[in-house]
Amino acid sequence: MRDFPGETDGRLKVCGEEFLLKTAIANLLQNAIDYSPSGSTIRVRMEPRDSGGENSVALMIQNDGPS
């Protein structure tokens, strides 16, 4: 686990349309739930990325469903 640069309390600031971001993340999570075998684990993580001098974050949602 890594800390995000410039964030002392572990929180991230995300710029974007709140409704659209919430909808996109909810859809990804629901898809992971729908296509995972019963009793399996869904893993969610965020990683800091440096893309051309700008800080960004990668959100990963992984399940054990069919690929």
Side-chain angles (χ1 to χ4, degrees):
M1 179 179 220
R2 296 189 297 174
D3 290 331
F4 294 96
E7 301 295 334
T8 59
D9 62 1
R11 294 183 181 197
L12 297 172
K13 182 185 280 188
V14 178
C15 297
E17 181 63 41
E18 181 179 359
F19 173 78
L20 295 176
L21 289 167
K22 285 182 177 181
T23 300
I25 292 168
N27 286 341
L28 290 169
L29 286 170
Q30 189 60 53
N31 186 62
I33 292 166
D34 290 344
Y35 292 97
S36 292
S38 180
S40 64
T41 300
I42 296 171
R43 292 163 295 284
V44 179
R45 68 181 186 173
M46 295 176 71
E47 289 183 358
R49 298 284 168 100
D50 182 12
S51 55
E54 293 187 21
N55 290 329
S56 62
V57 175
L59 171 67
M60 289 150 283
I61 300 172
Q62 184 179 16
N63 67 347
D64 296 325
S67 46

